[in-house]
Amino acid sequence: MSLLRQTLILVALISVGFACDGSTGPRPEPRAETSVLVRDDTLVATMMSNERMTWMEFTIPITIHNEGPAAVRLFSCGSGIEAETADSWQRIYTPICALELVVPEEIAPGQTREFDMPVHAGLAGPAAPRWEAGSIDGNYRVAIALLPVGAEGVIPLVTSNPFALVVEP
């Protein structure tokens, strides 16, 4: 067998070996080892309106603790609010984001960080993003998009403890 042919066969075998290693196979879903806490049991929404639309505003005080061995990144654009239904939780609010302007916050291993999540939700008229719950008063939780640094794939959501939302009297 010629040296050229032996070299080509060797290169082909090495290529197949690299193609079959674990790095090209299916990857497990990334998982952020974090906890998300809404610091207040009850939040108060302020109603606002003009001649064309009605919306509400409130702020969710959040504490995130990274319990894992790797830093995690908080992606606010993938985060949102879920409402409690009879037997599950349903996404009812997702903020509008300009992705090119969003820089993910990084939380180091063992670190605890506090954030305020402002909510501006349209209720009537052309206001957006929309509050998709049937009412305002109710029980909700935050679903935060947290991805371990270096992980790839679908960004997992970590949910908070429930909180009540009421309209300002």
Side-chain angles (χ1 to χ4, degrees):
M1 195 181 291
S2 74
L3 182 60
L4 177 61
R5 178 173 260 184
Q6 288 176 346
T7 304
L8 289 174
I9 290 173
L10 182 61
V11 168
L13 288 174
I14 290 172
S15 297
V16 168
F18 281 122
C20 293
D21 77 1
S23 66
T24 60
R27 292 188 175 122
E29 289 294 319
R31 194 172 132 263
E33 296 176 42
T34 56
S35 59
V36 177
L37 172 72
V38 174
R39 294 189 304 271
D40 294 330
D41 293 335
T42 302
L43 303 177
V44 179
T46 302
M47 302 295 292
M48 312 192 67
S49 65
N50 62 27
E51 62 279 348
R52 296 185 58 221
M53 64 186 103
T54 302
W55 69 97
M56 69 174 168
E57 296 179 351
F58 63 98
T59 300
I60 305 173
I62 300 168
T63 299
I64 299 174
H65 177 68
N66 182 358
E67 302 159 1
V72 294
R73 290 197 175 121
L74 163 64
F75 292 87
S76 58
C77 285
S79 301
I81 300 173
E82 298 177 346
E84 186 176 23
T85 64
D87 58 353
S88 66
W89 292 87
Q90 182 158 355
R91 176 71 67 109
I92 54 92
Y93 173 82
T94 302
I96 295 174
C97 296
L99 288 176
E100 67 275 3
L101 300 176
V102 175
V103 176
E105 296 279 348
E106 195 165 300
I107 305 168
Q111 185 180 29
T112 299
R113 302 250 327 253
E114 293 185 352
F115 299 92
D116 285 332
M117 180 179 171
V119 177
H120 308 276
L123 301 169
R130 301 295 289 194
W131 186 260
E132 301 294 338
S135 66
I136 298 169
D137 292 343
N139 291 319
Y140 301 93
R141 70 182 183 185
V142 178
I144 302 289
L146 292 162
L147 183 67
V149 171
E152 298 177 357
V154 176
I155 299 175
L157 295 175
V158 179
T159 55
S160 73
N161 56 306
F163 64 90
L165 182 64
V166 298
V167 177
E168 182 178 58

